[in-house]
Amino acid sequence: MVFAGSYFPVSRGQEPELGYAFALPRLVARLAGRKVRRAEFSRLEAYGVCLLVFGMSNLFVARALLPLLGSLVLQWLVVFLLPFAMWAAFLLLYYLVSLVIAVFRRLGFYRATTNNSFQHIVIMTLTTLLALALVRDECDGVKSLGFLWLGLLALNLLAIAILGMFLKE
Amino acid sequence: MTDSFRWFDRFAVRGVLWRHYLDFGLTNVPFYLRPMTIFFWTIFFFFFAAAARRTIVRNLSVVLPGSSSLLNQARAWLTMYNFAWTISDAADYKLAKTEFAYEVEGEKFLEQLAAARGAILLTAHMGSYDLGAAVFAQRFAREIRMVRAPEADVRTAQHLDQSLERAGAGAVKVAYNTASMALPLELLNAIRGGEIVSIQGDRPVPNASQRTARLFSEVVSLPDGPFMLAIVSGAPIFPLFIVRKSFHRYRIIAREPIWCQRVERDREAIIERAMQTWCQTLEEVIAAHWSQWFSLVPIFP
């Protein structure tokens, strides 16, 4: 079956179409000889980055907050409620950034259909700042999480350069 | 659908506020943060939309007989999580024309549907039927007339109509299933004109024509309008479902068409047989994809 347009359904059992939003997995797939394109089809990419960004934010706040709480019960309560509070904090962040974007749109500095690309830059920048804070932590586990983010970020930037310069994506 | 509007109605579960907020979320939350956002919103709606949750639990107790009620609460959460994803994906397609990957089960039946001159697409409140209709209409360059149950909130209905027509780039037209006599004639004319009419056949709409059938060994009322339309128009009924497979991936399930041709005199027998076939198909698909059956209005006694 052929569908008009850039994508088409495949029959059940056929190899699924590969698509990644980030440059690093696209480069890896291309080096492995796979046909890949820029699309948000990867569950691993979506859930993986989600876990990293949200996990690092929670960890950062928990590391800052927990030493201030004396009681163990209170600490556990905070650990339980923190993800919900962080979710609310993210919602507030999206809203505040959207206000900034609205101003930029009015001034003619931003014209994209959605605000996602601007929000992406803000979130990546904030997460990188958190990672820089985490690499200074005393705990090796926390420190390695910070390094993991910085490493992935550097590799992704390198992949963008390689795909742009040599593989003409 | 009611035109009266109180200021707090917008905050109701089916109020338009949540639809607007969904649009805000999809134009402001990068794709990789949506799993977390949807996860927590599902927890919120699990408690806020208590009536819908109870209906899902009741449906699950019938679809999965002998299942524990505690486990069904967890399954209800999963169903609501899938529902959140599917309405998000449909809105994402409308707002940003985001691509989704599809695989097809029953490819030859889908091709028959695409080639049919006038057909009835019978589906259920499963997976992303809104997204599916829009994508199908665009990819096959076919017009689809989608029959929907009226929304409780008039502003939500307006928002959904606009969304569907925008997503389908004008190829999807929405018609509401009411007691009006004009709709069946309109649908009949559309089929005779070569259009595809999409109807959800897994729950009846008040005041619309329906009859009893057996679904998962329970006696339920289901709409018989699609079958009467099929008899009068001679058009085939194509059972079609679109279920969510994983992140931004869907599976189109097309089943063998049901024919209701008047080769015998007894019209009632033809309709009953066709409804029985439809119920069997529905049972198979729901049993395999119970976490994507979004029938949020009670149908089982």
Side-chain angles (χ1 to χ4, degrees):
Chain A
M1 172 193 310
V2 178
F3 271 59
S6 59
Y7 65 101
F8 54 90
V10 296
S11 294
R12 198 177 172 186
Q14 276 184 315
E15 199 168 284
E17 201 182 0
L18 268 191
Y20 296 105
F22 289 104
L24 180 59
R26 281 206 306 278
L27 179 64
V28 172
R30 286 184 71 163
L31 291 176
R34 301 286 303 273
K35 197 180 165 195
V36 66
R37 64 193 180 88
R38 190 175 186 158
E40 295 163 8
F41 290 164
S42 168
R43 152 174 68 173
L44 186 73
E45 195 178 54
Y47 286 88
V49 178
C50 182
L51 268 178
L52 256 178
V53 172
F54 193 59
M56 280 168 59
S57 319
N58 274 275
L59 194 63
F60 177 80
V61 177
R63 293 291 286 175
L65 207 61
L66 291 182
L68 307 175
L69 306 168
S71 146
L72 197 66
V73 178
L74 204 60
Q75 285 188 357
W76 276 108
L77 190 68
V78 166
V79 167
F80 175 73
L81 292 176
L82 189 61
F84 294 92
M86 289 307 294
W87 164 60
F90 266 94
L91 297 183
L92 186 65
L93 176 71
Y94 303 136
Y95 176 67
L96 294 175
V97 175
S98 78
L99 295 180
V100 174
I101 296 169
V103 173
F104 280 12
R105 280 189 191 279
R106 197 160 291 176
L107 296 172
F109 296 149
Y110 188 80
R111 288 196 175 88
T113 317
T114 70
N115 296 346
N116 287 331
S117 48
F118 194 98
Q119 296 269 10
H120 166 68
I121 293 167
V122 172
I123 286 158
M124 285 290 139
T125 309
L126 288 176
T127 310
T128 305
L129 291 175
L130 286 185
L132 287 170
L134 292 180
V135 293
R136 286 190 212 143
D137 200 280
E138 302 148 357
C139 172
D140 284 344
V142 175
K143 203 181 275 190
S144 56
L145 195 63
F147 279 121
L148 175 69
W149 177 264
L150 294 174
L152 286 173
L153 183 72
L155 285 172
N156 198 57
L157 291 173
L158 187 66
I160 291 171
I162 293 171
L163 285 173
M165 284 193 292
F166 304 111
L167 299 173
K168 302 284 178 234
E169 191 178 49
Chain B
M1 204 186 318
T2 172
D3 283 339
S4 63
F5 186 73
R6 294 159 297 181
W7 69 269
F8 50 84
D9 283 348
R10 66 177 63 236
F11 297 101
V13 172
R14 287 168 184 264
V16 75
L17 176 100
W18 305 110
R19 292 281 169 178
H20 286 309
Y21 187 77
L22 179 65
D23 289 353
F24 170 83
L26 289 162
T27 47
N28 282 280
V29 181
F31 79 96
Y32 52 84
L33 283 177
R34 287 181 198 162
M36 175 268 284
T37 313
I38 289 175
F39 178 88
F40 285 103
W41 273 117
T42 308
I43 294 175
F44 172 79
F45 277 102
F46 183 77
F47 295 103
F48 186 49
R53 185 191 69 229
R54 281 193 292 271
T55 303
I56 295 170
V57 170
R58 170 70 187 125
N59 291 346
L60 287 166
S61 69
V62 174
V63 175
L64 306 168
S67 52
S68 89
S69 74
L70 191 68
L71 201 57
N72 281 345
Q73 292 287 340
R75 288 181 177 128
W77 183 88
L78 184 63
T79 306
M80 292 172 105
Y81 181 69
N82 278 324
F83 181 63
W85 268 112
T86 53
I87 60 169
S88 298
D89 286 348
D92 200 10
Y93 181 76
K94 169 196 75 172
L95 295 166
K97 286 280 176 274
T98 300
E99 286 184 58
F100 295 89
Y102 297 90
E103 64 173 40
V104 183
E105 185 184 317
E107 202 173 340
K108 71 173 181 184
F109 303 128
L110 191 66
E111 278 175 357
Q112 284 173 18
L113 171 65
R117 189 177 148 67
I120 298 159
L121 193 161
L122 196 55
T123 186
H125 291 81
M126 286 197 78
S128 193
Y129 40 88
D130 291 353
L131 175 67
V135 169
F136 180 87
Q138 284 201 324
R139 296 298 159 205
F140 285 114
R142 294 294 306 260
E143 282 203 354
I144 290 191
R145 202 167 289 242
M146 186 187 261
V147 183
R148 295 182 67 98
E151 283 292 327
D153 184 287
V154 69
R155 280 162 181 80
T156 307
Q158 283 166 356
H159 185 268
L160 277 171
D161 288 359
Q162 286 163 3
S163 298
L164 276 166
E165 286 174 15
R166 192 170 156 186
V172 178
K173 296 190 180 90
V174 182
Y176 280 100
N177 201 347
T178 58
S180 160
M181 278 307 291
L183 183 66
L185 289 174
E186 190 188 318
L187 298 179
L188 186 61
N189 284 335
I191 295 169
R192 284 179 174 158
E195 282 184 42
I196 295 170
V197 168
S198 166
I199 305 173
Q200 288 164 332
D202 62 336
R203 77 169 188 231
V205 175
N207 303 320
S209 178
Q210 53 192 270
R211 67 179 67 199
T212 54
R214 278 202 166 265
L215 190 66
F216 292 102
S217 310
E218 298 262 354
V219 177
V220 295
S221 285
L222 291 179
D224 58 4
F227 306 95
M228 294 206 270
L229 265 178
I231 285 188
V232 178
S233 66
I237 297 172
F238 285 87
L240 194 119
F241 310 87
I242 292 149
V243 293
R244 185 173 173 265
K245 230 187 110 198
S246 65
F247 181 77
H248 284 190
R249 287 183 187 276
Y250 283 86
R251 177 179 295 160
I252 300 167
I253 303 170
R255 290 295 174 94
E256 196 173 341
I258 303 168
W259 290 90
C260 298
Q261 282 165 327
R262 295 194 74 166
V263 285
E264 53 191 294
R265 276 190 168 189
D266 191 356
R267 199 178 88 147
E268 295 300 302
I270 300 169
I271 292 178
E272 270 181 29
R273 207 162 34 243
M275 281 186 80
Q276 209 178 339
T277 310
W278 165 240
C279 285
Q280 277 170 5
T281 306
L282 204 53
E283 279 185 18
E284 284 165 21
V285 178
I286 291 172
H289 306 280
W290 52 262
S291 67
Q292 296 196 45
W293 190 29
F294 310 134
S295 185
L296 308 180
V297 174
I299 67 157
F300 294 113

